[in-house]
Amino acid sequence: MLKKISAKYISHDKEILSLGIQAGVLSAIFSLLHVFLHNITSIALFAVVGVFVCSLIQTIAMKYGVYSRIVANILLAVSAGVFAILGSQIGNNLLVSSLIIILIVPFVGFASLSDAITAALVLFTVDLFVVSAGLKFSIDASIIYGLAFTFGGVMLAVSSYIFDVIIFNKNKTLTTSVYKFKFSNLFVKFKLTITFAILLTMAVLLANFIAIHFRLPQGFWVPMTTLLILKNDGAFTRQRLIHRLFGTFYGSIVAAIVIYLIANNYILAILILPLMFFIVSSLSLHYGAYTFFLTIMISILVDLLEPGGYAIPLHRITDTVLGILCVVIALFFFQPIINYSLSNALKRKKVFD
């Protein structure tokens, strides 16, 4: 029974398991550092987020070889750190954040049919802007937290190099060369992605409006959910929507129980290790399981930052439902309008041609 469950939800690939352990240990160390410093600063927790996000792109880039995933890791650590600084300076400014969303979110759509690393690199970079735009820090704090994110991500890249290259010599690759980011790769299938790029932008704009206008606690989860769920494939979007909803629901229940029963912050910090391990090892197999473990971990991290008990998982569920609602609105209302408008534009072009 346990073997069947494990085979369905948890990857047994040795490299992914190794990455999960590395990410878990680093995240637990940073979390313990935060608790040891008695919450004087949140720098260590931003480093945890850096480890987490970079572990995702390493998992996605696993088949490209160890050097390519380390390069992708470092690129994401830097780019997402910069965008996190930018986003946190906007801090709940609806007009400015909306304008920047209009400028950057289309690139997520354009890159959606590019190679897996480029698509993930653009998606997670923009995602960090969307998340940090729901926060507000001074310029000094923004830079410090952005650097902390980058530091956490780079530390994971260093760990991967030490263990996977130097110690275990896992220089396996299915490609002829190490990954290099090329801006032109974003537009390789421009005509096939333009509709999705517009749709995604409109959906994220709606989600961002809801989060800021209604001043939702941790409201950044709304546009983040929309950005991560809506894909350039209707069936795939529906599957992720269901997995996200149920993973968040069950994860929030478990998180509320854990936060209620465990008052010791050191124990909560240590729990980040197995949670991060399961997040990494479940991502490639089952998005629902990944979301389940992620929800528990994020709830604990937010509780370490701002103790909130049951409120944190409740906010997570509420924001996820709202983000999903924005996806549904986009698919059933925005998409027909976009298709109709583009169709008419093409007809007019043919007339004039």
Side-chain angles (χ1 to χ4, degrees), residues 27-45:
S27 298
I29 290 173
F30 287 131
S31 299
L32 285 169
L33 180 62
H34 171 77
V35 176
F36 179 75
L37 294 174
H38 303 290
N39 300 355
I40 294 173
T41 176
S42 306
I43 295 175
L45 293 187

Side-chain angles (χ1 to χ4, degrees), residues 231-281:
K231 299 297 178 185
N232 198 359
D233 182 316
F236 188 40
T237 296
R238 287 190 290 273
Q239 181 189 64
R240 286 178 76 94
L241 188 151
I242 294 170
H243 284 177
R244 187 85 183 190
L245 181 61
F246 284 99
T248 300
F249 178 74
Y250 291 121
S252 295
I253 293 174
V254 173
I257 295 172
V258 170
I259 292 172
Y260 176 76
L261 293 178
I262 302 176
N264 190 309
N265 283 347
Y266 284 100
I267 296 177
L268 290 175
I270 292 172
L271 284 176
I272 298 299
L273 195 162
L275 287 170
M276 184 68 80
F277 171 80
F278 285 120
I279 286 170
V280 173
S281 57

Side-chain angles (χ1 to χ4, degrees), residues 53 67 79 122 155 195 205 209 213 229 257 265 279 298 331:
V53 175
Y67 287 116
S79 63
V122 176
M155 286 302 296
T195 300
L205 279 172
F209 171 80
H213 180 73
I229 288 180
I257 295 172
N265 283 347
I279 286 170
I298 292 298
L331 291 175

Side-chain angles (χ1 to χ4, degrees), residues 15 19 58 61-62 65-73 160 164:
E15 290 189 62
L19 176 64
Q58 280 220 41
M62 193 65 66
V66 62
Y67 287 116
S68 287
R69 60 185 173 90
I70 289 174
V71 168
N73 181 329
S160 296
D164 296 339

